[in-house]
Amino acid sequence: MPDAEELIRVLEAVHDEKCAVSRADVSDSYEEKMSYQNKFLNRKTVAGTTGSPLHQASSVANGTSTASGGYQTRENNNAVSPVENGIDRMGLQRKSSRAYERGDGLDERMGSSRKYSLTQAISNGSSLGQNSSGPNSAGLQDGAPELDYSQPASALQGPNFHLRRTQSQRTIERSPAALQRVGTLTTKETLTPSFAADKQFFPTTFPQIDDRYLRLDYANQDYLSKMLHSDLLPKGSPEVTREFMSTLVTLLLNYVEMQNDRTSRVLEFRHPKQLEQIVDIDVPDEESPSNLYQILLDCQQALQYQVRSGHPRFFNQISTGLDMVSLAGEWLTATTNSNMFTYEVSPVFVLIEKAVLQKMRELVGWPTGDGIFAPGGSISTLYAIHLARHRKFPLCKTKGVYALTKRPIIFTSAHCHYSIPQAAAVMGLGTDSVVEIPVDEKGRMDIDKLEEQIMACLERGDEPMLINATCGTTVLGAFDPIMPIADLCEKYDIWLHADAAWGGGVLVSRKHRKLMNGIERANSVTWNPHKMLGAHLQCSAVLIREPNQLFSCNNMSADYLFQQDKHYNVEYDTGDKAIQCGRKNDVFKLWLMWRAKGTLGFERQVNGLFELRDHLVRRLNEFEDFELILPEPECTNVCFWYVPPSCANMVGNRRYERLGRITAIIKARMMDRGNLMVGYQPLDDRPNFFRMLFSNAASTNEDVDFMLEEIVRIGHEL
Amino acid sequence: MPDAEELIRVLEAVHDEKCAVSRADVSDSYEEKMSYQNKFLNRKTVAGTTGSPLHQASSVANGTSTASGGYQTRENNNAVSPVENGIDRMGLQRKSSRAYERGDGLDERMGSSRKYSLTQAISNGSSLGQNSSGPNSAGLQDGAPELDYSQPASALQGPNFHLRRTQSQRTIERSPAALQRVGTLTTKETLTPSFAADKQFFPTTFPQIDDRYLRLDYANQDYLSKMLHSDLLPKGSPEVTREFMSTLVTLLLNYVEMQNDRTSRVLEFRHPKQLEQIVDIDVPDEESPSNLYQILLDCQQALQYQVRSGHPRFFNQISTGLDMVSLAGEWLTATTNSNMFTYEVSPVFVLIEKAVLQKMRELVGWPTGDGIFAPGGSISTLYAIHLARHRKFPLCKTKGVYALTKRPIIFTSAHCHYSIPQAAAVMGLGTDSVVEIPVDEKGRMDIDKLEEQIMACLERGDEPMLINATCGTTVLGAFDPIMPIADLCEKYDIWLHADAAWGGGVLVSRKHRKLMNGIERANSVTWNPHKMLGAHLQCSAVLIREPNQLFSCNNMSADYLFQQDKHYNVEYDTGDKAIQCGRKNDVFKLWLMWRAKGTLGFERQVNGLFELRDHLVRRLNEFEDFELILPEPECTNVCFWYVPPSCANMVGNRRYERLGRITAIIKARMMDRGNLMVGYQPLDDRPNFFRMLFSNAASTNEDVDFMLEEIVRIGHEL
């Protein structure tokens, strides 16, 4: 297989170059930079000797350079050894010593007679979703002209480049003279000299910026160009305010429409130093440096380069999507700028929070209880662990961990979210207090091992304090079996926390809530509606089975803030239950979604995500170009490797090392192309693999097909 | 002084009744409710025996009743002893045993010949702000008809009550039949039978709801009534989406305009159980229970009863105001629904966060450093204390507090924010690890006492870990003197944290930043731009003097989330610096404000707040109706008692006990009237007093005058 060998060598070399470049990108000492460049050159020479035509294509796409330095970095970044960071940070070499020992994947694949080659199909010009995704995607990737940064700067001043302004232009614009000629603002982009000198560090071609939706050539440009922030309410006029906000809303709704147009890209990737040159993020000192039209340009610029996490082909993270009712809720929340700590200032929102928490507890299976919305799952889980400690060691609140006669231990699966050890570190228990229990082949906690560890803990004289059952692990989407864990919790008097930040969404689905059978036996649950239910980030709740726990644990008797002699019933105040003081309203958007959809609407939404998963699993089994990590995933996570034809016949360690390297390279290329985003990561002894995730209600089967085709297409082009 | 005596007795009785009512409001057992009612009746009889005409007026305003129960509470609230809660929770009796010993106030006031009576002036029909606040406020409070809940329900169905719907109506509307006749939705309010039976528990009159701004009689009502959430993007149409969002924006901008109209109220107060009857907060199970017009009604309902924290006369909290550029930023942030943990998904926002943190550090006086935006000041401060512990005891991260050979101690002033002991509790240090240092007469930490305590700590063999210098205390607005504290920190090798959550805003003002002289010597600073700078909640940063500290303290090596082999420089990723995983974008709005105003614009804004303070202090000195707590406040907090003519000649404990009680009663009446909101609280041995706060850029001197007049007016009417 000399071809495959060579491909891998080329890919590795290209990848190493890129990382060296990225590294140079922030190092600020001249010597260090040169050392990177030398390495880069050496590497390049090695790669160049292969003479493969593939090399040519890759190096163009990923940045070629023999250049010298000359640009100024903005701040003193932490200087570290280039060897340590340029290479080791990549994780490639690191991982190779511990490759994934598995031989069955190949045999399984080869033993199946019903598999087809998607690579072959794409080479022949056919596609999975001929009707829906085909023309659109083709239009995007083939039709869009490439922007060549090696052209002279003047060539970039075409009609498509009026969105961005350079640092130097801003400086001129902000001068007193410029402020007098508002309305004549030039918005053409030119490359600054410093960028021109540096561009060799970066890829030279990107797809041309798509500005069909984000143009700002509205009729009121002249009007807004004459206005400053001081013309807005409260001290300015309602008319200017309406004009400004309405124009912004038009821009924002154009963004939403763009994001839902599959011929638009998911992102316009630029490397950090590149982007710093392109966008103007300067934080100015001058008063009123920008008129209101310029402020809109600032907004436009951010939207242009922001990743469209609501795009139907954004599968990169657990929180995706853009639900319009949730957005309406967020806009209203922002408009009221409220604080959840007292009924006094947030009467409606406090009642709504109470009602939504009650509804969520009902779905868990509790008639009463307690709970609070917290800024994200990590803090929700911190609440729960803090509460468990308070229940077992109430003295800890005043005396600290010193007062404990026994060391409290937290049990969790090896695949748990890192917020568990994080909480242990913050809480002064130390990460060593977290005992990680091995997982079975599906990523679920091994119950026998769990009980062994509990007994070992008791033998040591430590106190088993909490077991965390992860409901939907981050990578594999595994659900720890709650029933047997709850049995152990009862047997040994241990607090059962369910980290259902991700998986909690299945509770609204009569079909899938069996994944969390026994959840009503938990003492506390973390559930982030900003994940599977599609509410806006941040929307996370910690739910507690017993009432009145949070107050006892967290109140600090701050009577000077939460007066007890108010003229209304202060039990509605939430401030004394929280570890925050001021607390943002995270619940209104979720409530509004619930009003619009009902629990049954949420059920339909969640079931739809699982149907997308089923479609993807079917497709992955259908084609020989992929290898599934888990044949039957529990949640909507689907993990797989892309297997290029050149690796098809490889076996053992070498096969998986290669697949892992190719995964990272394809992801990099995917970001440059911008049509799609899928996450990847290593896990245990498995090298990098793709993790598809369905949490975006916008995605369809055609988007899944597009994703598979695009991966194959990139692999094919490498 | 029999009149004053009697007034107080009546006020107390009325207040007690109210609390008993509030209490009954949530108790759910019939026996308990009856016991409240009996107490209520007894109390009433006592009050009734006074025969004072004042009693009559008060009891009408605050709710009279001899009624029986009969309503259904929604959930099982925590049952507590009625005696403990009905009376002791009020804090009136509690505080009286520990009254404020001070005799100088009266003498000082009586010795001053330049003081005038505002009470007299108002009785005579004159006002402080004849031109601006006079007519408006008069129009509001005298012109608005009162809504009498004792009228039959049908009387409430006038044109002004089409905003709210009852539970029972919702139930009908949500039936399948109702879903077919969308568009014919009735929005008239009727009182439900259960509310009619209960109304005697609550005040019977409130100012009539002001619906000039929040009517929803738009032309597209029929169109939106036929649409459901599923007609919106992503799966629905862009047209429906635009129509829905634009209508919402009209409503929101009307709200903003209302909030800036001084003839509109700050709030429409209702007691919790009342509000639960008026608004419909039901969380439904049925799919698509609401059409899009109903969703807008839900929004309208929330806006109607939400406190307008941006109203120029909302002085109740430290975070107030509604900056339109910040709002634009929040709307954009919500539209992009981004997550700050990686450059990969938030490229522009990550760069912006980096730039803004750098700017904030520059203002502190640091050329480099570290920092992160956190969800509120309490969590920011938790970051700082966690970092201080990590620096001194790096083993604690893995081994926990057990590994420490010495007990770390935190020093802070007695007037610090409760987030300091809160952090100690969460971090397993225990609140006993926090040593509270007495304050001087202005509320600033006493440096001699501080050094005494440090030495005592060393003698005990404990480790002085951190000194927290509060820059702007919550109540008095005091700034702990940083220079001498920094000297002690250097002398004893202690981490210096500055909790400038509130006061940090003065750093942008060349005139006032001297309040924080020496801030550059701190190791870490909490600074909440959502306070003095007027950014939206939440916007809080923790700034660190040394670079790269947060990563070392908080990274959990979660390579499966923060891969090190990405194709861009992963040092731009922030996930490993945070104790959160997903993290909301809190910085864009602040950056956009900075673009619009520049540091100099912020300076002008902050200076304006201090000018408002100066105006208020002048006024308070001008009139004999008030007594200042601190003659020369440092920050924009101004604390004072209202002194009714009946108490003018009282002295000593009795005087201040009475002033404290009157403060709470006036606040209650103020909320019912809804024209104004000012906070109050006790502090140390001082009973309740008003705390005026300037953080709202919308407020003017006329609003300050209105506040004083309104307090006198309420006091006069009691």
Side-chain angles (χ1 to χ4, degrees):
Chain A
M1 296 157 287
D3 277 0
E5 286 285 345
E6 195 163 304
L7 169 67
I8 293 298
R9 214 167 63 238
V10 172
L11 290 175
E12 273 181 36
V14 170
H15 200 167
D16 286 2
E17 280 166 23
K18 277 206 145 179
C19 287
V21 169
S22 294
R23 198 45 230 155
D25 175 342
V26 288
S27 77
D28 52 353
S29 96
Y30 181 73
E31 288 70 23
E32 225 181 284
K33 196 150 54 199
M34 288 315 291
S35 113
Y36 283 119
Q37 284 164 15
N38 291 338
K39 186 136 66 87
F40 172 77
L41 291 174
N42 294 342
R43 287 264 161 194
K44 188 168 178 292
T45 312
V46 173
T49 57
T50 65
S52 156
L54 283 172
H55 169 64
Q56 210 61 25
S58 302
S59 62
V60 169
N62 295 299
T64 59
S65 165
T66 56
S68 64
Y71 66 97
Q72 304 288 318
T73 55
R74 287 214 174 179
E75 63 171 313
N76 193 351
N77 283 285
N78 184 26
V80 262
S81 149
V83 175
E84 247 179 65
N85 283 271
I87 300 303
D88 271 354
R89 282 184 76 93
M90 293 178 50
L92 293 183
Q93 279 74 356
R94 245 186 346 187
K95 290 290 170 196
S96 62
S97 61
R98 200 180 159 230
Y100 180 40
E101 302 279 0
R102 187 175 149 189
D104 58 319
L106 179 64
D107 306 332
E108 190 185 293
R109 245 182 344 93
M110 295 187 71
S112 160
S113 61
R114 59 180 171 72
K115 297 213 174 194
Y116 306 95
S117 165
L118 188 57
T119 307
Q120 196 76 50
I122 285 177
S123 302
N124 295 341
S126 69
S127 136
L128 288 171
Q130 300 267 5
N131 295 323
S132 57
S133 70
N136 287 348
S137 57
L140 175 66
Q141 70 230 7
D142 302 332
E146 299 271 308
L147 162 59
D148 185 353
Y149 275 103
S150 62
Q151 286 177 34
S154 60
L156 296 174
Q157 297 183 342
N160 287 321
F161 294 92
H162 70 287
L163 306 182
R164 296 156 295 160
R165 291 168 296 152
T166 62
Q167 292 288 118
S168 57
Q169 278 180 331
R170 281 285 294 187
T171 314
I172 299 166
E173 284 157 19
R174 231 179 296 116
S175 70
L179 281 175
Q180 288 180 345
R181 53 172 172 81
V182 282
T184 65
L185 169 69
T186 167
T187 52
K188 305 267 181 280
E189 176 181 348
T190 55
L191 286 177
T192 58
S194 72
F195 180 74
D198 290 336
K199 67 183 166 52
Q200 61 277 356
F201 284 109
F202 307 114
T204 51
T205 56
F206 280 110
Q208 189 170 311
I209 286 283
D210 174 6
D211 69 344
R212 287 169 295 160
Y213 287 93
L214 299 182
R215 290 175 198 271
L216 253 188
D217 40 7
Y218 301 135
N220 59 5
Q221 170 171 348
D222 280 357
Y223 178 78
L224 289 175
S225 297
K226 296 194 182 84
M227 301 296 167
L228 295 174
H229 71 91
S230 47
D231 297 310
L232 296 169
L233 287 173
K235 304 248 162 129
S237 84
E239 290 70 33
V240 179
T241 307
R242 275 177 198 279
E243 197 67 32
F244 171 67
M245 295 302 284
S246 305
T247 313
L248 173 76
V249 167
T250 306
L251 182 67
L252 295 178
L253 293 179
N254 286 351
Y255 175 86
V256 171
E257 207 170 316
M258 171 174 75
Q259 173 166 270
N260 281 290
D261 174 353
R262 286 178 174 77
T263 71
S264 77
R265 274 191 292 273
V266 176
L267 78 164
E268 309 281 2
F269 182 77
R270 298 293 183 273
H271 282 278
K273 285 284 168 199
Q274 273 178 323
L275 192 58
E276 279 176 354
Q277 295 286 348
I278 296 169
V279 301
D280 172 10
I281 53 164
D282 186 38
V283 184
D285 282 328
E286 301 89 338
E287 186 166 15
S288 302
S290 293
N291 61 53
L292 294 184
Y293 182 70
Q294 284 172 308
I295 292 301
L296 291 174
L297 287 175
D298 286 344
C299 291
Q300 181 197 41
Q301 164 190 274
L303 293 172
Q304 192 72 74
Y305 290 97
Q306 178 52 24
V307 174
R308 284 112 213 195
S309 55
H311 195 292
R313 291 167 183 169
F314 177 85
F315 303 104
N316 206 64
Q317 242 76 38
I318 278 185
S319 331
T320 65
L322 186 74
D323 185 281
M324 294 310 297
V325 176
S326 175
L327 182 64
E330 276 294 71
W331 283 9
L332 184 143
T333 299
T335 309
T336 57
N337 194 17
S338 52
N339 193 323
M340 295 298 283
F341 54 15
T342 59
Y343 176 85
E344 185 174 335
V345 297
S346 283
V348 183
F349 300 138
V350 162
L351 295 187
I352 284 176
E353 188 174 57
K354 196 160 160 274
V356 172
L357 285 170
Q358 186 178 331
K359 184 58 150 194
M360 292 173 81
R361 285 193 305 261
E362 270 172 29
L363 287 166
V364 167
W366 299 331
T368 86
D370 203 349
I372 199 160
F373 277 81
S378 295
I379 307 245
S380 288
T381 296
L382 177 71
Y383 266 104
I385 301 179
H386 188 33
L387 207 53
R389 182 170 71 182
H390 181 67
R391 190 198 58 156
K392 209 140 216 175
F393 308 103
L395 267 183
C396 187
K397 183 172 176 178
T398 49
K399 305 284 173 205
V401 171
Y402 324 98
L404 311 187
T405 45
K406 291 174 165 190
R407 179 178 180 133
I409 299 296
I410 295 165
F411 302 88
T412 187
S413 93
H415 283 188
C416 77
H417 189 264
Y418 70 94
S419 54
I420 306 287
Q422 183 79 270
V426 170
M427 288 172 61
L429 301 172
T431 52
D432 289 356
S433 298
V434 178
V435 175
E436 292 196 353
I437 310 295
V439 294
D440 68 12
E441 75 290 349
K442 286 195 146 194
R444 299 171 301 193
M445 197 190 287
D446 182 323
I447 301 301
D448 295 335
K449 297 269 172 38
L450 172 60
E451 186 158 16
E452 272 171 30
Q453 287 297 327
I454 294 171
M455 285 162 64
C457 164
L458 290 168
E459 271 164 35
R460 285 195 309 272
D462 292 343
E463 177 74 35
M465 180 176 79
L466 180 141
I467 302 178
N468 173 57
T470 309
C471 303
T473 57
T474 312
V475 180
L476 296 180
F479 286 78
D480 289 339
I482 299 176
M483 280 296 184
I485 295 176
D487 290 342
L488 290 177
C489 284
E490 276 167 24
K491 183 170 169 188
Y492 296 101
D493 184 28
I494 306 175
W495 181 285
L496 173 53
H497 177 67
D499 176 2
W502 165 223
V506 304
L507 291 173
V508 300
S509 162
R510 283 163 294 183
K511 185 169 177 192
H512 298 290
R513 62 172 288 139
K514 61 176 183 287
L515 288 165
M516 285 173 70
N517 259 353
I519 185 65
E520 69 285 353
R521 298 175 68 188
N523 297 89
S524 55
V525 175
T526 293
W527 177 3
N528 292 6
H530 71 229
K531 296 196 159 98
M532 206 178 284
L533 298 190
H536 270 70
L537 188 79
Q538 59 193 40
C539 187
S540 168
V542 59
L543 307 170
I544 320 285
R545 190 169 65 192
E546 299 282 319
N548 309 310
Q549 299 294 297
L550 289 169
F551 179 84
S552 146
C553 179
N554 295 325
N555 103 79
M556 285 286 140
S557 305
D559 274 9
Y560 66 98
L561 283 179
F562 306 115
Q563 305 92 288
Q564 298 300 303
D565 60 349
K566 291 179 182 173
H567 80 311
Y568 63 86
N569 177 3
V570 294
E571 290 189 6
Y572 282 83
D573 289 352
T574 66
D576 264 333
K577 292 162 76 170
I579 60 170
Q580 300 182 273
C581 175
R583 190 162 60 88
K584 187 179 166 294
N585 170 7
D586 295 332
V587 75
F588 182 75
K589 60 197 165 202
L590 176 61
W591 176 79
L592 205 63
M593 290 173 84
W594 225 305
R595 298 283 279 192
K597 301 175 188 218
T599 313
L600 293 178
F602 275 129
E603 176 185 55
R604 183 198 291 256
Q605 185 179 317
V606 167
N607 288 352
L609 301 174
F610 278 83
E611 284 157 20
L612 287 170
R613 175 202 68 179
D614 294 340
H615 175 76
L616 173 57
V617 170
R618 261 197 312 275
R619 286 294 199 211
L620 291 172
N621 282 318
E622 205 171 324
F623 292 103
E624 66 182 15
D625 313 80
F626 308 101
E627 181 176 333
L628 266 165
I629 307 286
L630 291 185
E632 292 177 348
E634 291 188 275
C635 200
T636 67
N637 316 38
V638 182
C639 298
F640 65 93
W641 280 291
Y642 162 65
V643 186
S646 59
C647 296
N649 297 318
M650 284 187 182
V651 289
N653 278 3
R654 230 183 51 192
R655 171 184 174 90
Y656 295 101
E657 276 173 39
R658 297 272 153 92
L659 296 186
R661 286 177 213 175
I662 288 169
T663 301
I665 295 167
I666 288 185
K667 171 67 184 276
R669 193 80 183 94
M670 188 190 285
M671 302 255 314
D672 290 345
R673 290 164 67 104
N675 302 338
L676 178 71
M677 270 179 88
V678 184
Y680 75 90
Q681 67 290 299
L683 185 69
D684 302 334
D685 53 357
R686 296 178 185 93
N688 288 326
F689 51 86
F690 287 113
R691 179 198 61 171
M692 271 290 285
L693 256 188
F694 297 103
S695 72
N696 188 347
S699 305
T700 61
N701 286 351
E702 287 70 32
D703 296 315
V704 172
D705 292 346
F706 177 84
M707 180 273 300
L708 293 176
E709 285 178 351
E710 180 76 353
I711 287 177
V712 169
R713 217 178 278 129
I714 294 171
H716 190 61
E717 283 176 8
L718 280 177
Chain B
M1 295 156 287
D3 277 359
E5 287 286 343
E6 195 163 301
L7 170 67
I8 293 298
R9 214 169 61 239
V10 172
L11 290 176
E12 274 180 37
V14 169
H15 201 166
D16 285 3
E17 281 165 24
K18 276 206 145 177
C19 286
V21 168
S22 293
R23 199 42 232 156
D25 176 339
V26 286
S27 77
D28 52 353
S29 94
Y30 182 73
E31 288 70 24
E32 227 181 282
K33 195 150 55 197
M34 289 315 292
S35 112
Y36 283 120
Q37 284 165 13
N38 291 338
K39 184 135 68 83
F40 172 77
L41 290 175
N42 293 342
R43 286 264 158 193
K44 187 167 180 287
T45 312
V46 173
T49 57
T50 63
S52 157
L54 282 173
H55 169 63
Q56 210 62 26
S58 302
S59 63
V60 169
N62 295 299
T64 59
S65 165
T66 57
S68 64
Y71 67 97
Q72 305 287 321
T73 56
R74 287 212 177 182
E75 65 171 309
N76 194 353
N77 282 285
N78 184 26
V80 265
S81 149
V83 175
E84 248 179 63
N85 282 272
I87 301 303
D88 271 354
R89 284 186 74 94
M90 293 179 51
L92 293 182
Q93 278 74 354
R94 246 186 344 188
K95 291 290 169 197
S96 62
S97 62
R98 198 178 160 234
Y100 181 40
E101 302 279 0
R102 188 174 148 189
D104 60 316
L106 179 65
D107 308 332
E108 191 185 292
R109 246 183 341 97
M110 295 187 71
S112 159
S113 61
R114 59 176 174 74
K115 297 218 174 189
Y116 306 94
S117 165
L118 188 56
T119 306
Q120 197 76 52
I122 284 178
S123 302
N124 295 341
S126 70
S127 135
L128 288 172
Q130 300 268 2
N131 295 325
S132 57
S133 69
N136 288 349
S137 57
L140 176 64
Q141 69 231 8
D142 302 332
E146 300 270 307
L147 163 58
D148 185 352
Y149 275 103
S150 63
Q151 285 177 35
S154 60
L156 296 174
Q157 298 184 339
N160 286 319
F161 295 92
H162 70 287
L163 304 182
R164 297 157 291 161
R165 289 168 297 152
T166 62
Q167 292 289 117
S168 55
Q169 277 180 329
R170 279 288 295 188
T171 312
I172 298 164
E173 284 158 19
R174 232 178 296 114
S175 69
L179 281 175
Q180 289 183 345
R181 54 177 170 78
V182 282
T184 65
L185 169 69
T186 168
T187 53
K188 305 267 180 279
E189 177 182 344
T190 54
L191 287 177
T192 56
S194 71
F195 180 72
D198 291 335
K199 68 187 165 51
Q200 62 277 358
F201 285 109
F202 307 113
T204 50
T205 57
F206 279 111
Q208 189 171 308
I209 287 283
D210 175 4
D211 70 344
R212 287 170 296 160
Y213 288 93
L214 298 183
R215 288 176 200 269
L216 254 188
D217 41 7
Y218 302 134
N220 59 5
Q221 173 172 344
D222 279 356
Y223 177 77
L224 289 176
S225 296
K226 295 195 184 83
M227 302 294 168
L228 296 173
H229 71 90
S230 46
D231 296 311
L232 297 169
L233 287 172
K235 304 246 163 134
S237 85
E239 290 70 33
V240 179
T241 305
R242 276 179 197 277
E243 197 68 31
F244 170 67
M245 295 302 284
S246 305
T247 313
L248 174 78
V249 166
T250 306
L251 181 69
L252 296 178
L253 293 178
N254 286 350
Y255 175 87
V256 171
E257 207 170 315
M258 170 175 76
Q259 171 167 272
N260 282 290
D261 175 353
R262 286 177 174 76
T263 71
S264 77
R265 274 192 291 273
V266 177
L267 77 163
E268 310 280 3
F269 181 77
R270 299 293 182 274
H271 283 278
K273 282 289 166 193
Q274 274 178 320
L275 192 58
E276 280 178 352
Q277 293 287 347
I278 296 168
V279 301
D280 172 9
I281 53 164
D282 186 39
V283 184
D285 282 328
E286 299 88 339
E287 186 166 14
S288 303
S290 295
N291 62 53
L292 294 183
Y293 182 70
Q294 285 172 307
I295 291 300
L296 291 173
L297 286 175
D298 286 343
C299 291
Q300 180 198 42
Q301 162 189 277
L303 294 171
Q304 191 73 73
Y305 289 97
Q306 178 51 23
V307 174
R308 283 110 214 197
S309 54
H311 194 290
R313 290 166 184 170
F314 177 86
F315 302 106
N316 206 66
Q317 242 75 40
I318 279 184
S319 330
T320 66
L322 185 75
D323 185 281
M324 294 310 296
V325 176
S326 175
L327 183 63
E330 276 294 70
W331 284 8
L332 184 143
T333 299
T335 308
T336 57
N337 193 19
S338 50
N339 193 324
M340 296 296 284
F341 54 15
T342 58
Y343 176 85
E344 184 174 334
V345 297
S346 283
V348 183
F349 300 138
V350 162
L351 295 186
I352 284 176
E353 188 176 57
K354 195 159 161 273
V356 171
L357 285 170
Q358 187 176 333
K359 184 58 150 196
M360 292 173 81
R361 284 193 305 260
E362 269 172 31
L363 287 165
V364 167
W366 298 331
T368 88
D370 203 351
I372 199 160
F373 277 81
S378 295
I379 308 249
S380 288
T381 297
L382 178 71
Y383 265 104
I385 302 180
H386 188 33
L387 207 51
R389 182 171 71 183
H390 181 66
R391 190 199 57 157
K392 211 141 217 176
F393 307 103
L395 267 184
C396 187
K397 182 172 176 178
T398 49
K399 306 283 175 205
V401 171
Y402 323 97
L404 311 186
T405 45
K406 291 173 165 193
R407 180 180 177 130
I409 299 293
I410 297 165
F411 302 88
T412 186
S413 95
H415 284 188
C416 77
H417 190 264
Y418 70 94
S419 53
I420 306 288
Q422 183 79 270
V426 170
M427 288 172 61
L429 302 171
T431 53
D432 289 356
S433 298
V434 178
V435 175
E436 292 197 354
I437 309 296
V439 294
D440 68 13
E441 74 292 348
K442 288 197 146 192
R444 299 172 302 195
M445 198 191 285
D446 181 323
I447 300 302
D448 295 336
K449 297 270 172 39
L450 172 61
E451 185 156 19
E452 273 171 29
Q453 286 297 328
I454 293 171
M455 285 162 63
C457 165
L458 290 169
E459 272 164 33
R460 284 196 308 273
D462 291 344
E463 177 74 35
M465 179 177 80
L466 179 141
I467 303 178
N468 173 57
T470 309
C471 303
T473 58
T474 313
V475 180
L476 297 179
F479 287 79
D480 289 339
I482 299 175
M483 280 296 186
I485 295 176
D487 291 342
L488 291 179
C489 284
E490 276 167 21
K491 184 170 167 188
Y492 296 102
D493 184 27
I494 306 176
W495 182 283
L496 174 52
H497 177 68
D499 177 4
W502 166 224
V506 305
L507 291 173
V508 301
S509 163
R510 283 163 294 184
K511 185 167 178 193
H512 298 290
R513 62 172 287 139
K514 62 177 181 289
L515 288 164
M516 286 173 67
N517 260 354
I519 185 65
E520 69 284 354
R521 297 175 67 189
N523 298 88
S524 55
V525 176
T526 294
W527 177 3
N528 293 6
H530 71 228
K531 297 196 158 97
M532 205 177 283
L533 297 190
H536 270 70
L537 187 81
Q538 59 194 40
C539 187
S540 168
V542 58
L543 307 170
I544 320 285
R545 189 168 67 191
E546 298 283 320
N548 309 311
Q549 298 295 298
L550 288 170
F551 179 84
S552 144
C553 179
N554 295 325
N555 101 80
M556 286 286 141
S557 305
D559 275 10
Y560 65 99
L561 284 179
F562 307 117
Q563 305 92 290
Q564 300 300 303
D565 59 349
K566 290 179 182 172
H567 79 312
Y568 63 87
N569 176 5
V570 294
E571 290 188 6
Y572 281 82
D573 289 352
T574 66
D576 264 333
K577 292 163 75 170
I579 61 169
Q580 301 181 274
C581 174
R583 190 162 62 87
K584 189 181 164 291
N585 170 6
D586 295 332
V587 75
F588 183 74
K589 59 198 167 204
L590 176 62
W591 175 80
L592 205 63
M593 289 173 83
W594 225 304
R595 298 283 280 193
K597 302 176 187 218
T599 313
L600 293 178
F602 275 129
E603 175 183 55
R604 183 198 290 255
Q605 183 179 317
V606 167
N607 288 353
L609 300 174
F610 278 83
E611 284 157 20
L612 287 170
R613 176 201 68 179
D614 294 342
H615 175 76
L616 173 57
V617 170
R618 263 197 311 278
R619 286 292 199 212
L620 291 172
N621 282 318
E622 206 171 321
F623 294 104
E624 65 182 16
D625 312 81
F626 308 100
E627 182 177 333
L628 265 165
I629 307 285
L630 291 185
E632 292 177 348
E634 292 188 274
C635 201
T636 67
N637 315 40
V638 182
C639 297
F640 65 93
W641 280 291
Y642 162 65
V643 186
S646 60
C647 296
N649 298 318
M650 285 186 182
V651 289
N653 277 3
R654 232 184 48 192
R655 173 183 172 88
Y656 294 99
E657 275 173 38
R658 296 274 152 91
L659 296 185
R661 286 178 214 175
I662 287 168
T663 302
I665 294 167
I666 288 185
K667 171 66 184 277
R669 195 84 181 88
M670 185 190 284
M671 301 247 326
D672 289 344
R673 289 163 66 103
N675 302 337
L676 179 71
M677 270 178 89
V678 184
Y680 76 90
Q681 66 290 301
L683 186 68
D684 301 337
D685 52 357
R686 296 177 185 94
N688 288 327
F689 53 85
F690 287 113
R691 178 197 64 170
M692 271 291 284
L693 256 189
F694 298 103
S695 72
N696 188 347
S699 305
T700 63
N701 286 351
E702 287 71 32
D703 296 313
V704 172
D705 291 347
F706 176 84
M707 181 272 299
L708 293 175
E709 285 178 353
E710 181 77 352
I711 286 177
V712 168
R713 217 178 280 129
I714 294 171
H716 190 61
E717 283 176 9
L718 281 177

